[in-house]
Amino acid sequence: MRPERFEQHSHRLDIHVHVVGSSQLDSIHAKLDQIINKENQDMAIGEDILAKVTEADTKVDSVIALLNGLTASGTITPEVRDAIFAKIQGSEDKLDAAIAANTTPPPTP
């Protein structure tokens, strides 16, 4: 049995570097700096929003714990607690409706 013969192919990769004038480089750097600054601002806004949402969520959890504690201690009745919870739920329903009204549904495949 004869061994198979493999042909070798050489590949060539050409890299071209174009040097532009320093004023063009300065302009490119300035645009990149603008893009980076805008991205950093957008990230900071997102982090601020996340912090506020997390804080609001923590506040709701705190109110729930407080109301449950007040009910357990007999300070408020379960009916009052439930009425407060219903009010909180009403606010959540408004938020859900606002999100649904202002969110574009994903395209169907």
Side-chain angles (χ1 to χ4, degrees):
M1 182 178 255
R2 290 181 32 195
E4 292 184 30
R5 184 172 172 195
F6 295 99
E7 292 184 31
Q8 291 185 3
H9 297 282
S10 65
H11 297 287
R12 181 176 160 173
L13 174 64
D14 293 325
I15 299 174
H16 300 274
V17 177
H18 298 278
V19 178
V20 294
S22 66
S23 65
Q24 288 176 313
L25 279 176
D26 291 342
S27 176
I28 291 170
H29 283 289
K31 291 290 182 191
L32 286 174
D33 286 342
Q34 288 175 352
I35 291 169
I36 290 168
N37 287 336
K38 175 71 170 131
E39 183 177 288
N40 288 338
Q41 289 171 351
D42 290 348
M43 292 295 289
I45 289 169
E47 289 169 3
D48 288 346
I49 292 169
L50 177 60
K52 288 182 190 320
V53 170
T54 301
E55 180 183 325
D57 194 38
T58 302
K59 286 178 183 177
V60 170
D61 289 340
S62 297
V63 169
I64 291 169
L66 172 65
L67 293 173
N68 285 333
L70 291 173
T71 303
S73 70
T75 305
I76 63 172
T77 66
E79 293 79 22
V80 170
R81 180 202 57 206
D82 293 344
I84 295 170
F85 284 161
K87 181 65 177 164
I88 292 171
Q89 183 63 48
S91 297
E92 288 180 13
D93 292 343
K94 282 192 238 178
L95 180 60
D96 290 343
I99 290 170
N102 294 295
T103 303
T104 306
T108 55

